[in-house]
Amino acid sequence: MQLMSGKDAAGGGLRERKKRATRAALAEAAVRLAAEHGADKVTVEAISAAAGVSVRTFFNYFDSREDAFFVIDADAGARMRRAVLDAPAALSPLEALREAMAAELAEAEQQHELWRLHAEVLHASPHLLARGVGAHMAAEAALADAVAARLRGALDDEERPADPGLYPRLLAAVATAAVRISVDHWSAHQQEAPFLDVFHEAFTLLAAGLPAPPA
């Protein structure tokens, strides 16, 4: 799962908000150009021009052209980890993950087109798809680390164990899968319910142990 929220990190100053907006504009330009022309034909110059910045500015945010295809909101992962650690103690780990993810997905319906284009770009470019899988696994591992830190009562997740354990890894994997399935289902049934309703229904089913629906 790669969250591509357009929201600002809480507490960020004007300069930080502008930096995030520029990074997001470059990433969106890269995805849209790649969807239209093919990723291999998109240049740094074209991405920069589409975002209205210089090539020099592009390299202030990304080390390479390929990096621009993977960062829509660089702070989303950190925000989710912080939200999991800061969630009220009364919430279960699943509920803490649900609330952290829901906050990042608040604008999912507005971002849906970009998500679709991003998926098309990755699937049309094997080397980008492989890199995307790696990014997905890294994000999932980071969530597992946050769950493990929450379970042991840590104030932060800087001192991460070599292996967070079976439960945190399984919970992170199940939660990210629930987001992906929620997006896929809502995309095919947009007229039936808002995205966040579908998202919360998926987590309700997980919390209930995935009981079989009535015949």
Side-chain angles (χ1 to χ4, degrees):
M1 177 191 66
Q2 286 183 296
L3 294 180
M4 300 185 220
S5 161
K7 64 181 284 188
D8 292 326
L14 177 60
R15 183 177 179 181
E16 286 303 312
R17 291 198 297 272
K18 287 183 176 180
K19 288 173 64 177
R20 286 192 293 272
T22 300
R23 180 187 288 268
L26 284 164
E28 181 172 347
V31 169
R32 293 190 181 280
L33 287 170
E36 182 177 357
H37 303 291
D40 291 340
K41 296 181 179 179
V42 176
T43 64
V44 169
E45 289 78 8
I47 295 170
S48 303
V53 301
S54 67
V55 170
R56 181 178 179 180
T57 296
F58 177 95
F59 285 110
N60 286 337
Y61 291 91
F62 302 106
D63 292 331
S64 70
R65 180 185 67 94
E66 287 75 14
D67 288 344
F69 295 113
F70 294 99
V71 181
I72 300 295
D73 187 343
D75 300 318
R79 284 198 300 268
M80 284 194 294
R81 290 193 296 274
R82 188 74 259 163
V84 168
L85 293 170
D86 293 343
L91 294 184
S92 69
L94 177 62
E95 291 170 332
L97 261 184
R98 179 197 65 199
E99 293 306 303
M101 290 175 162
E104 295 302 323
L105 291 164
E107 299 175 1
E109 294 183 37
Q110 289 78 14
Q111 294 290 319
H112 172 251
E113 180 199 6
L114 190 58
W115 285 17
R116 177 182 60 79
L117 291 177
H118 185 260
E120 291 179 0
V121 168
L122 263 60
H123 282 89
S125 305
H127 69 288
L128 291 180
L129 180 59
R131 187 167 174 178
V133 170
H136 172 91
M137 294 176 66
E140 187 177 293
L143 284 178
D145 288 338
V147 171
R150 178 180 174 84
L151 288 173
R152 67 176 186 268
L155 295 178
D156 57 54
D157 61 347
E158 292 180 359
E159 296 181 3
R160 299 176 181 176
D163 184 351
L166 177 62
Y167 177 84
R169 292 180 62 190
L170 182 60
L171 181 58
V174 169
T176 53
V179 172
R180 177 175 57 80
I181 297 302
S182 296
V183 170
D184 289 347
H185 181 83
W186 177 79
S187 297
H189 305 277
Q190 294 185 33
Q191 304 305 317
E192 297 180 8
F195 169 75
L196 285 179
D197 287 356
V198 175
F199 169 85
H200 283 290
E201 181 181 357
F203 275 79
T204 296
L205 289 171
L206 288 179
L210 290 177

